[in-house]
Amino acid sequence: MPDQQHFEETAAFIREHRSNELNFEKLAARLEEERRAGLDPELGPVMETEGAAYRQARETRASAWPEFERFVSAFEKAVLAAAR
């Protein structure tokens, strides 16, 4: 299981990339890395629900900011929950 410093680094990565939805793929890749590192119970649903909703919205609109923000927020909450 990752240590507290790892969670802090992941949270910092999320904060650094949350301001632009062009960073979705970077965030999705990091989420997958974290999931493989042992956070599957918390992160699996984030990609399955919020990540999928974002991708679907992007297919029909040029911007899917609300869906992106929900994805990022869910990712961050899952990381913070796992850190406890």
Side-chain angles (χ1 to χ4, degrees), residues 49-74:
T49 55
E50 285 82 2
Y54 172 76
R55 285 189 169 130
Q56 184 176 14
R58 279 299 298 214
E59 289 177 7
T60 59
R61 301 191 313 257
S63 175
W65 181 258
E67 293 83 358
F68 175 74
E69 186 57 33
R70 279 193 290 277
F71 165 75
V72 173
S73 294

Side-chain angles (χ1 to χ4, degrees), residues 9-39:
E9 290 170 1
T10 301
F13 180 86
I14 294 168
R15 284 190 301 274
E16 180 182 334
H17 292 88
R18 81 176 308 143
S19 64
N20 189 332
E21 74 178 274
L22 293 175
N23 291 325
F24 175 79
E25 293 303 329
K26 288 179 186 176
L27 288 161
R30 182 67 177 253
L31 185 147
E32 182 59 26
E33 285 176 28
E34 297 302 317
R35 194 183 67 74
R36 286 192 314 261
L39 301 178

Side-chain angles (χ1 to χ4, degrees), residues 1 4 7 77-84:
M1 187 67 141
Q4 190 64 31
F7 291 119
K77 285 178 189 175
V79 168
L80 294 175
R84 292 185 189 128

